[in-house]
Amino acid sequence: RKEVEQDPGPFNVPEGATVAFNCTYSNSASQSFFWYRQDCRKEPKLLMSVYSSGNEDGRFTAQLNRASQYISLLIRDSKLSDSATYLCAVSYNKLVFGAGTILRVKS
Amino acid sequence: GAVVSQHPSRVICKSGTSVKIECRSLDFQATTMFWYRQFPKKSLMLMATSNEGSKATYEQGVEKDKFLINHASLTLSTLTVTSAHPEDSSFYICSARVVSGQESSQPQHFGDGTRLSIL
């Protein structure tokens, strides 16, 4: 089983749609959780950290479920510019990335 | 925010050449930097953890004699791919973490990446 697993997608959604991604992790000792965004052939950029209480940043909401060992990312009112690959990352003694979920927002 | 600079961004060279990639933290000191490799449509794979003033820690399956890491200062780590071959062609990305509080809770900030193509 992979340490961090994501649905690769692609998720094809119209502008304005709400879309959610999940990410599961296998190491129950994981301490920190992040969502990164990666555009084609570019480096990952931090989107947001994920806290136990859940956190929101504009149109983006991240949640953590330690009991079920998954994190989620919700994007509301999708924009064309949201099209990218979304990577979840989980940290215990090192940062481990999922393979990413592709999002395509279309007009 | 924390800025990490990586150079060069693109390298094309012949098989057998050694290639050096630099990773700099521009506005903060990084006692630890990380080197990742990413193949197309695959996740980032941690290759090694670069520690300032000491030897790097390599992940299982990564040849330390093939991928030489030097972290000579608090703002610079280098990765040298020695005698590169076509199978070494990949996207190499470094990252660094601002040292503050519990290290594992601090997000990593990535360089722009280096796309290496070995002919």
Side-chain angles (χ1 to χ4, degrees), chain A residues 94-95 97, chain B residues 6 21 33-39 43-50 56-64 66-69 79-82 88 90-95 116:
Chain A
K94 61 181 180 181
L95 194 62
F97 286 86
Chain B
Q6 190 173 337
I21 304 170
M33 291 185 176
F34 305 89
W35 288 96
Y36 292 84
R37 181 167 57 184
Q38 187 178 33
F39 291 106
S43 63
L44 283 84
M45 296 301 298
L46 180 64
M47 298 175 66
T49 302
S50 172
T57 304
Y58 289 82
E59 295 299 304
Q60 192 172 14
V62 178
E63 299 176 60
K64 59 182 178 182
K66 172 77 172 178
F67 299 99
L68 300 179
I69 291 173
L79 168 69
T80 301
V81 184
T82 61
D88 297 322
S90 187
F91 190 44
Y92 292 85
I93 315 174
C94 72
S95 72
L116 177 62

Side-chain angles (χ1 to χ4, degrees), chain B residues 6-119:
Chain B
Q6 190 173 337
H7 178 80
S9 58
R10 186 82 164 98
V11 180
I12 302 173
C13 57
K14 294 181 180 179
S15 186
T17 306
S18 290
V19 178
K20 188 176 185 178
I21 304 170
E22 292 188 349
C23 180
R24 293 180 186 272
S25 56
L26 296 186
D27 52 358
F28 65 102
Q29 293 183 332
T31 54
T32 305
M33 291 185 176
F34 305 89
W35 288 96
Y36 292 84
R37 181 167 57 184
Q38 187 178 33
F39 291 106
K41 299 186 180 181
K42 299 291 185 183
S43 63
L44 283 84
M45 296 301 298
L46 180 64
M47 298 175 66
T49 302
S50 172
N51 304 298
E52 188 268 335
S54 64
K55 291 183 179 180
T57 304
Y58 289 82
E59 295 299 304
Q60 192 172 14
V62 178
E63 299 176 60
K64 59 182 178 182
D65 295 331
K66 172 77 172 178
F67 299 99
L68 300 179
I69 291 173
N70 184 278
H71 194 150
S73 77
L74 288 172
T75 59
L76 174 64
S77 174
T78 61
L79 168 69
T80 301
V81 184
T82 61
S83 187
H85 292 285
E87 59 265 28
D88 297 322
S89 300
S90 187
F91 190 44
Y92 292 85
I93 315 174
C94 72
S95 72
R97 187 167 55 199
V98 176
V99 180
S100 173
Q102 184 180 12
E103 288 199 12
S104 66
S105 68
Q106 299 300 316
Q108 291 183 18
H109 299 275
F110 287 85
D112 294 338
T114 298
R115 198 159 298 279
L116 177 62
S117 299
I118 307 298
L119 306 177

Side-chain angles (χ1 to χ4, degrees), chain A:
Chain A
R1 182 186 172 188
K2 291 180 182 177
E3 291 184 82
V4 180
E5 292 200 70
Q6 295 181 252
D7 181 344
F11 284 62
N12 295 302
V13 303
E15 274 187 289
T18 296
V19 62
F21 310 134
N22 281 339
C23 168
T24 59
Y25 60 94
S26 60
N27 190 333
S28 59
S30 299
Q31 298 171 321
S32 302
F33 309 88
F34 308 95
W35 282 103
Y36 283 82
R37 170 194 169 130
Q38 186 175 28
D39 292 291
C40 189
R41 303 174 73 85
K42 297 285 188 181
E43 80 282 10
K45 291 189 186 296
L46 179 67
L47 185 64
M48 57 199 305
S49 301
V50 187
Y51 303 117
S52 297
S53 54
N55 48 301
E56 186 175 309
D57 183 1
R59 298 182 292 110
F60 300 85
T61 301
Q63 301 225 313
L64 166 64
N65 185 319
R66 286 190 185 269
S68 301
Q69 293 182 204
Y70 77 82
I71 62 174
S72 64
L73 177 68
L74 181 79
I75 305 176
R76 290 182 298 278
D77 188 23
S78 299
K79 311 290 184 191
L80 293 174
S81 57
D82 293 333
S83 297
T85 298
Y86 290 83
L87 307 170
C88 68
V90 174
S91 176
Y92 43 101
N93 61 349
K94 61 181 180 181
L95 194 62
V96 180
F97 286 86
T101 298
I102 297 171
L103 172 65
R104 296 181 186 142
V105 182
K106 303 191 175 182
S107 57

